[in-house]
Structure formats: C-alpha cells, structure tokens
Amino acid sequence: MRFRSVFFRAASRAKLGAPAQQQRFRRTYSHLRRPDSERPSFGIAFDIDGVILRGRTPIGGSPQALRRLYDADGFLKVPFLFLTNGGGVPETKRALELSELLKVQISALQVVQGHSPFRRLVSRFENELIVAIGKGEPAAVMLEYGFKKVLSIDDYASYFNDIDPLSQYKSWGLKQSYERNYNSEGLQPKYDVYSERVKGAFVVSDPVDWGRDIQVLCDILRCGGLPGKENGHQPPLFFAADDLEYQAVFPSERLGMGAFRIALESIYNSINSRPLEYTSFGKPNPFVFKNAESILTKLVTNMCQVKETMKGEKCGLDTIYMIGDNPKVDINGANKVGHPWFSILTRTGVFRDKNNHEQYPADLVVDTVEEAIDFILKKECTS
Ligand code: G3P
Ligand code: MG
C-alpha cells in the first residue's frame, strides 16, 4: 500500500524511535487516509500571505473555507497544499503552526515553502560548508533537509571581528553576541571558518539585517568563500524566491526577497568586475508548479487506499486550482504552466483592483478565498 511506504519513509527520515513519537506521527498523517474513498479529480494550491493569513491572522474566511475540504470525521476530502514563497522554519514546524492558526489538521507534506526545493541540492552540498540567510531558523531548515555543515549568517558573521562596522550601533546584535559569548563556552567557531571556504550561500527567507547581510555576502562571494582574503571564484548563490513585494500586516505591500536580491546584485556588480551569478526558486518558476502537482498526486494516492480496480490507473488530477493574491507571481506561474492549472486571484493581498489584472489575468477573480472555495466546490460537484 502506497500510504504505508510514504508513512514509513517519512517516519524513518524523522528518526522516530519511541512508540509515543510514532503514535504522534501516525495521528499527524492519519487525516490523509480515508477508507473506501473515490479518487478526487481536482486539487487546490493555496498561497499563504495575502490569501490565507496576514501576519498570523487568518483572512478572507480561510478557516471556514479550509474546513469544507475535510469530511465530518476530519479526513481530507479534497487534496490541497500550501504553495508559499515564504518560509524560515522547517515544513514540519510550519505545518503545526498552520494547523493551530487555521484549526484544521495539516501535515508537512501539504506545506511547500520557497526554500523547499533546496532539498534537491543536498547531494551537491551535503558535506560542504554553507551559509543560510534569513529570518526565523534558516540553519535549522537546511539541517532538516540533510545539509551537514550549515551556519546561519548571524553565527558566521559573529566569528569575524569588525566584519560589520555598524554592529556597535545595533542593540539587538550586541545582545545576541553577548549571549553567544558569555552564556556558553565562548565564541568558538563550529567549523574552521578562517581557512575553510564557504561553498554555497542560501537565502532561505527574508533577510533581517540587510546592511550586514549584503556586506557579509559580498565578502563571501567576492573572496571565493573566505572573507578578508584575496578575490576568488564566486561560490553558488541561491534564493528561495524572488518576490519584489508581498502582503504582510502593514496596509501596503512590504519589500520581499526579490528586493533584497536587487540590492545585493546592484551593489555586488558595482564593486566587482564579474556580475553576480545566482539561481532563484519560488513561484512563478514553472518547476514549483510541477513539483506541487506531483505532491498533490502523492496526496491523492495517500488519501485513497489504492483499490484493485485502480491499479495502473493514472492518479493525476484533471484540474488544480491556484488561489493567490499576487498576479505576477501566483497567477503568472499557474498560467505559464497551463493545464491542469486554473488560476484564481483574490482581492485580499497584493491585488485589490475591481477588474482582472491586465498583464497577468487570472481565470477567475474573487474577493476572498472563501468565495474561491465556494466556486470550486459548486463547479466540481455539478460537473
Ligand atoms: O515572504 C513571504 C512572501 O514572499 C510571499 O508569501 O505566501 O504570498 O507566497 P506568499
Ligand atoms: Mg501571497
């Protein structure tokens, strides 16, 4: 049975040993398996910021809308996942947070974040020294994916005296380094950062201290992975997403990772003879939508115990709805991939206009996610 293999693969990844932990894990995934269920013909991908949440507050009737995708016993009726360009915490932790905020049971398999595709780079960087940048727990994210030698940019920068000439003016930085210096065995680098080159830099989530991060990244990238040394070959640089702006709690949009990328690139190219090289993931990259499609297919397989009659039958979905608030990112991405994607634009985030977006028109424009679910369920139940 497919569900069992997924269950046990994931369980061994999470190194679940104790029976209590295994039981907790089984509870976490049990809502995906609905006995004797029919194969669903459609799935849904939800953007988070500006559709489901603003900050940590649910918007657009999202908890009620999501509740409609489960049956009375809490089993998933409609395969869905979250497809966000945000991140900064491991998918397991994000799933728990979302379950709490939205009052429905969500598994890690249903959470695809901007940095989720970094997982695919483990074989290339597994034992190499890498630096992880961004809010939240960027190093924990990379360690959970299987990278072995990871330092957050906070820790990495703290090993180089005076690398940030403005640090003395940053009260938060002083507090952090005080705790690191005096509450443990002292400021001992985990790795020999003075002779071991950084082999890759990963912008996992929105950077916090842009000035310091741009300075330290320029040092790493210009000097072949060894700050303060002579110029060398630029190590690879990866961004989890490239959103210029996104909807957070403040009434107007906030600058996102794409804005940070522009700042870094512009400065790096002004001080270096060779232009910055980088790779960006996240929506609207078609790869992200293809990946979401295969995760939804996996979910379908998990939801339905594969019956004899279904063996060999294609488990693909006829329609996948992308519900997003950002025309350039969510709608553009879904439209570029085309079938089976159907794009729905809400007016709860970046987009607020009365009419459809001119450059990236959605297949449907609605006010809220609740309205989108209403449309989908009506359409799918009558077709
Ligand atoms: O930092 C979050 C942002 O870039 C967008 O998140 O959920 O709207 O894709 P989301
Ligand atoms: Mg959004």
Side-chain angles (χ1 to χ4, degrees):
M1 190 169 65
R2 183 85 179 102
F3 175 76
R4 284 178 66 84
S5 68
V6 171
F7 172 80
F8 284 115
R9 241 201 342 265
S12 69
R13 253 204 320 270
K15 292 198 181 71
L16 296 172
Q21 276 175 301
Q22 286 180 2
Q23 212 179 358
R24 195 165 57 240
F25 188 87
R26 215 167 280 133
R27 269 205 309 274
T28 310
Y29 280 81
S30 60
H31 69 293
L32 297 181
R33 183 173 48 176
R34 191 165 54 115
D36 303 325
S37 56
E38 291 301 314
R39 179 178 79 82
S41 61
F42 68 100
I44 305 172
F46 293 95
D47 176 69
I48 295 182
D49 292 311
V51 170
I52 298 289
L53 300 174
R54 266 180 88 161
R56 287 177 60 81
T57 309
I59 54 170
S62 55
Q64 305 87 284
L66 291 171
R67 187 68 196 88
R68 294 179 68 187
L69 308 180
Y70 295 77
D71 69 14
D73 301 318
F75 287 110
L76 203 56
K77 281 194 299 190
V78 176
F80 78 84
L81 50 73
F82 295 100
L83 192 57
T84 176
N85 276 357
V89 292
E91 284 72 12
T92 41
K93 192 167 174 182
R94 189 74 168 135
L96 288 174
E97 272 175 20
L98 289 168
S99 303
E100 227 165 79
L101 293 173
L102 301 166
K103 313 281 178 237
V104 287
Q105 198 183 350
I106 291 154
S107 74
L109 187 60
Q110 292 171 283
V111 180
V112 183
Q113 306 192 90
H115 46 71
S116 300
F118 286 171
R119 214 188 283 271
R120 295 177 180 231
L121 295 166
V122 170
S123 57
R124 188 170 154 199
F125 293 96
E126 188 172 0
N127 297 305
E128 309 280 17
L129 178 62
I130 61 165
V131 168
I133 300 104
K135 69 177 182 185
E137 305 159 16
V141 168
M142 300 303 275
L143 287 166
E144 185 158 308
Y145 289 164
F147 296 90
K148 303 243 162 53
K149 285 172 96 171
V150 189
L151 284 175
S152 71
I153 198 160
D154 289 343
D155 283 346
Y156 187 77
S158 70
Y159 298 136
F160 294 86
N161 286 337
D162 305 318
I163 198 165
D164 177 10
L166 304 175
S167 67
Q168 60 182 301
Y169 304 103
K170 298 173 180 172
S171 50
W172 71 90
L174 287 175
K175 188 174 170 282
Q176 275 173 5
S177 63
Y178 177 86
E179 280 165 4
R180 256 199 304 270
N181 270 322
Y182 302 105
N183 289 2
S184 60
E185 322 80 68
L187 197 57
Q188 289 302 321
K190 245 176 157 170
Y191 309 111
D192 186 4
V193 294
Y194 310 117
S195 66
E196 185 166 357
R197 292 180 188 277
V198 172
K199 296 289 185 352
F202 293 78
V203 186
V204 171
S205 47
D206 293 323
V208 178
D209 183 353
W210 280 36
R212 194 272 317 262
D213 292 355
I214 289 173
Q215 176 66 74
V216 176
L217 277 172
C218 282
D219 290 328
I220 292 173
L221 300 169
R222 257 213 304 186
C223 302
L226 273 182
K229 298 289 180 331
E230 71 284 356
N231 286 5
H233 190 69
Q234 187 212 305
L237 168 66
F238 301 95
F239 292 92
D242 199 44
D243 289 16
L244 186 58
E245 294 184 301
Y246 69 101
Q247 186 65 57
V249 183
F250 197 72
S252 55
E253 298 95 275
R254 301 295 84 199
L255 299 174
M257 195 180 291
F260 175 82
R261 191 264 305 158
I262 291 170
L264 173 68
E265 189 176 12
S266 160
I267 293 168
Y268 185 86
N269 291 351
S270 308
I271 58 171
N272 203 52
S273 52
R274 287 177 71 114
L276 184 72
E277 287 175 17
Y278 61 88
T279 306
S280 293
F281 291 88
K283 299 168 287 183
N285 193 329
F287 157 84
V288 171
F289 290 82
K290 288 282 170 202
N291 181 45
E293 213 171 308
S294 70
I295 295 172
L296 282 167
T297 308
K298 230 184 249 174
L299 271 173
V300 172
T301 323
N302 290 352
M303 285 165 67
C304 316
Q305 294 181 334
V306 181
K307 298 175 195 166
E308 283 303 304
T309 49
M310 276 181 63
K311 274 188 184 162
E313 194 185 326
K314 214 174 133 257
C315 263
L317 295 160
D318 300 336
T319 313
I320 302 175
Y321 298 92
M322 172 74 227
I323 308 177
D325 69 306
N326 190 331
K328 196 176 165 196
V329 173
D330 307 315
I331 306 307
N332 179 23
N335 290 354
K336 267 202 288 196
V337 178
H339 180 79
W341 290 86
F342 181 100
S343 55
I344 304 182
L345 182 57
T346 68
R347 295 191 178 91
T348 41
V350 171
F351 177 81
R352 300 293 172 92
D353 295 349
K354 194 166 171 285
N355 299 316
N356 208 336
H357 192 265
E358 268 190 27
Q359 199 181 354
Y360 305 111
D363 294 317
L364 177 74
V365 182
V366 293
D367 283 340
T368 63
V369 65
E370 199 170 13
E371 207 182 299
I373 294 301
D374 217 39
F375 165 84
I376 294 169
L377 296 183
K378 273 188 191 133
K379 181 167 170 271
E380 293 294 340
C381 293
T382 51
S383 60

